[in-house]
Structure formats: structure tokens, C-alpha cells
Amino acid sequence: MRFRRSVLGNSEQKVYDLVIVGSGCAGLTAALYAARAGLKTVVLEKEVIGGQISLTATVENYPGFKEISGPELMRLFQEQAEAAGAEIQTAEVSAIEDLGDRKLVKTSSGDLEARAVIIATGSSPRQLGVKGEKELIGKGVAFCALCDGPIFTGKDVAVVGGGNSATKEAIYLTKMVNKVYLIHRRDKLRAEKSWQEKAFRNEKIEFIFDTVVEEVVGRDRLEKLVLKNLKTGKLSELRVDGVFIYIGLKPNTDFVNVKKNPNGTILTDECMRTSVPGIFAAGDCRDKCMRQIVTCVGEGATAAIQAYEYVEELRGKKT
């Protein structure tokens, strides 16, 4: 699935009511609400429009859709936001400077000014941090079953993790690969019961519990994994052609100077306001107890409404 977007160039008007950083479900929802409220709005995205959801094979828990692919769902989000008048541009944000009633957004394609900013950058997949992993990314080590699964058609692969993402993507991979080894450090999965039941019924999935990956081995391509049983300490080797890693996410918040938790998630109040007036945060980059599409959508809408009220207050001060 390919998404439309344009590149932020020097000929573009660079003063906006609202800049939204990130085009996941929170960012695109915020764009929809802000544009409908009449704010001149631009969404900046450095990578894939749609965020992590656009890399998800199947979504079954978003209201209104019994089942829909992640890319298709985010395409609908994008089309609705653009139809409301929001712009979507390609640019990587490196810093945001607070200038009082204006924010200077520094990007790879030039600087923009905005009255308000919403951070909706989500999170990126965490790596195992073991020997050989970094060198073999793209050579057998992967983080997206939807993107890279077809490469391993008819082959044996491993999935590392025990949550919803790992379990769902393991099931998805069985549609094309020969076998999936699901490796989890605990003695049981953490995924929702419905996904666990589907996984346990799938004859192509073999579960390896109480185990971690100690090393990723290969020269030009992944050849095998060195595994360690956490209960016995015993090492073993598992020959696979690919390994998909789903062990959590790291918030993409390094570029913004607001109050955060030690893990990097942004602290906000219930109105999505950060410690800096005029800067809001929504979605998985924000500190919260639940990370689901529906929560991100609600936060995006809330942030946009609060940003609108903030901008209107600024305008009132100038009249």
C-alpha cells in the first residue's frame, strides 16, 4: 500500500496554526479535528504514513471494522484528514523551540512557525541488543511481518515476544512460511486470550517458553539463533531463515524538550497538555496505561480540540 504525500519545499508557506509531528492514528485524527475546526494544519512525517499500524497485517478490535488491514485503515484515516483540509508533508523534525506565542519547528526541509504543536510520533520497535543483531537487520532480522514476511515464503522463521504484536504477527506469518517458532522469555504468553487461542490452534506455530535469544548468527544472511533457557541456563541453537522481533517499543521523543518519564514518554495532563504551553502530545509517545488504536484516536481528538482553544486564545489576545 502506497500513501500520497508531498515534500516540504522552500516554496511552501511555512507559517501554520498547528504543526502535528507524526502521522499515526493519533496524528491523523488530530489533523482531521484541527482542519475541521478551521486551523491551518500540517502533518509532518519522516517515514511511513500511518505509523506502526500501517505495518500491522490485521486489525480486529477497531470499532466499525470486524477485520481490516493496518495499511487500509490508515489510508482511510489519511484520506479523511486530507479531505478536511489538512496537509501531509515529508520532513524529519529535529527540534522544537518555544518562542512564547509561536513555536519554531526545525525540520530536515527547513523551519516552520506554528502557534501550536502536537507531538504524535508514537514509538519504534526495540531491539534485542544481542551480538549479530544489528549487522543482520535487513538480512534476516526484521521487525515487520507485513513488510518482510513474503521474503520468507516456504521457510522457517522465529518470532521473539509474547504480547499481542508477537502473537498476531506469528499467526500472520503462518500464511506464507513453513514454520514459526514463537520464543518468549516467560512461561506463558501475555497476548489477549483470543489471540492466544488462535496461536495455540495453529499447527505451524511451535512455542519456546522461558527462553531468550543470546546471539544472532550469520555472515551475509541469518543462519541461526543461539538460545538460552532461563530456568536451566542451557544454550541451544535454532536454525531459521528469519527472526521477527516484537519486544516492545521506544518512544520517539528525543527531539522535544518537555517533561518526560525516565523511559522517554511525554507527561501530559488529561487534556494532552505538556509542560510547555502550546505543545500537546497524543498517542504512544505519551505516558499512559493503555496503547491501542482507540485510545490514540481519542487522544488525537482531545489534543486537536485543546490546540484549537489555545490558538483561539492567542488570537483573542491580539485583537
Side-chain angles (χ1 to χ4, degrees):
M1 185 70 67
R2 300 187 68 180
F3 294 98
R4 305 183 312 276
R5 59 178 170 179
S6 57
V7 177
L8 183 65
N10 293 329
S11 61
E12 294 282 344
Q13 172 58 258
K14 294 188 177 182
V15 179
Y16 291 89
D17 292 322
L18 176 64
V19 168
I20 300 170
V21 187
S23 68
C25 43
L28 291 178
T29 300
L32 169 64
Y33 273 73
R36 283 174 56 85
L39 296 184
K40 185 174 182 181
T41 302
V42 62
V43 179
L44 303 180
E45 174 57 60
K46 68 173 183 176
E47 293 178 344
V48 179
I49 293 179
Q52 289 295 315
I53 301 303
S54 66
L55 305 178
T56 301
T58 305
V59 176
E60 293 185 341
N61 60 353
Y62 188 70
F65 297 93
K66 184 177 180 181
E67 181 177 310
I68 187 170
S69 74
E72 176 64 11
L73 180 61
M74 298 320 298
R75 182 185 66 81
L76 295 173
F77 272 50
Q78 179 189 358
E79 287 184 353
Q80 194 170 7
E82 289 182 322
E87 299 177 30
I88 300 178
Q89 308 285 358
T90 299
E92 180 176 2
V93 176
S94 58
I96 298 173
E97 294 184 10
D98 179 26
L99 304 178
D101 60 357
R102 295 177 297 121
K103 313 301 175 191
L104 183 65
V105 182
K106 293 183 172 293
T107 85
S108 56
S109 300
D111 297 348
L112 300 91
E113 285 188 10
R115 294 181 172 87
V117 174
I118 295 175
I119 309 300
T121 45
S123 303
S124 298
R126 292 188 183 278
Q127 297 182 19
L128 295 170
V130 300
K131 183 179 178 181
E133 176 189 26
K134 187 174 182 180
E135 292 78 5
L136 292 175
I137 291 176
K139 300 176 182 179
V141 175
F143 302 88
C144 174
L146 182 64
C147 312
D148 299 325
I151 298 173
F152 303 97
T153 298
K155 299 180 179 181
D156 294 344
V157 301
V159 170
V160 182
N164 282 339
S165 294
T167 308
K168 289 165 62 176
E169 301 312 299
I171 294 169
Y172 170 73
L173 284 166
T174 61
K175 298 178 181 179
M176 58 198 75
V177 304
N178 177 58
K179 187 169 187 175
V180 177
Y181 297 92
L182 185 52
I183 304 166
H184 186 37
R185 65 182 301 116
R186 304 179 188 273
D187 60 0
K188 59 184 177 181
L189 300 177
R190 295 181 293 105
E192 295 172 7
K193 185 177 179 181
S194 61
W195 285 110
Q196 290 193 42
E197 291 174 347
K198 290 179 181 180
F200 287 130
R201 288 197 302 265
N202 196 310
E203 295 180 353
K204 284 190 173 183
I205 300 177
E206 179 176 330
F207 299 88
I208 305 177
F209 290 116
D210 300 310
T211 299
V212 295
V213 176
E214 283 282 289
E215 185 178 352
V216 178
V217 182
R219 292 187 178 181
D220 298 325
R221 295 287 304 176
L222 172 65
E223 298 172 8
K224 61 185 177 182
L225 304 176
V226 177
L227 307 181
K228 179 180 180 180
N229 186 289
L230 294 177
K231 289 187 174 180
T232 66
K234 182 180 178 181
L235 297 178
S236 61
E237 294 184 351
L238 179 66
R239 290 199 167 272
V240 289
D241 297 288
V243 58
F244 293 82
I245 300 168
Y246 295 96
I247 57 169
L249 301 168
K250 178 183 181 299
N252 300 316
T253 60
D254 291 345
F255 65 92
V256 60
N257 187 20
V258 295
K259 286 187 178 179
K260 307 170 192 174
N261 267 350
N263 66 0
T265 52
I266 296 173
L267 296 171
T268 74
D269 63 12
E270 63 182 8
C271 294
M272 309 301 134
R273 292 180 291 229
T274 71
S275 58
V276 177
I279 299 181
F280 304 83
D284 286 356
C285 65
R286 174 179 169 267
D287 187 61
K288 56 182 183 176
C289 64
M290 188 175 182
R291 287 171 169 76
Q292 294 289 315
I293 301 174
V294 289
T295 60
C296 292
V297 165
E299 292 166 18
T302 300
I305 292 168
Q306 294 300 315
Y308 167 76
E309 293 182 357
Y310 175 83
V311 170
E312 286 296 292
E313 184 178 349
L314 288 181
R315 287 172 174 160
K317 290 180 179 179
K318 293 182 179 181
T319 58

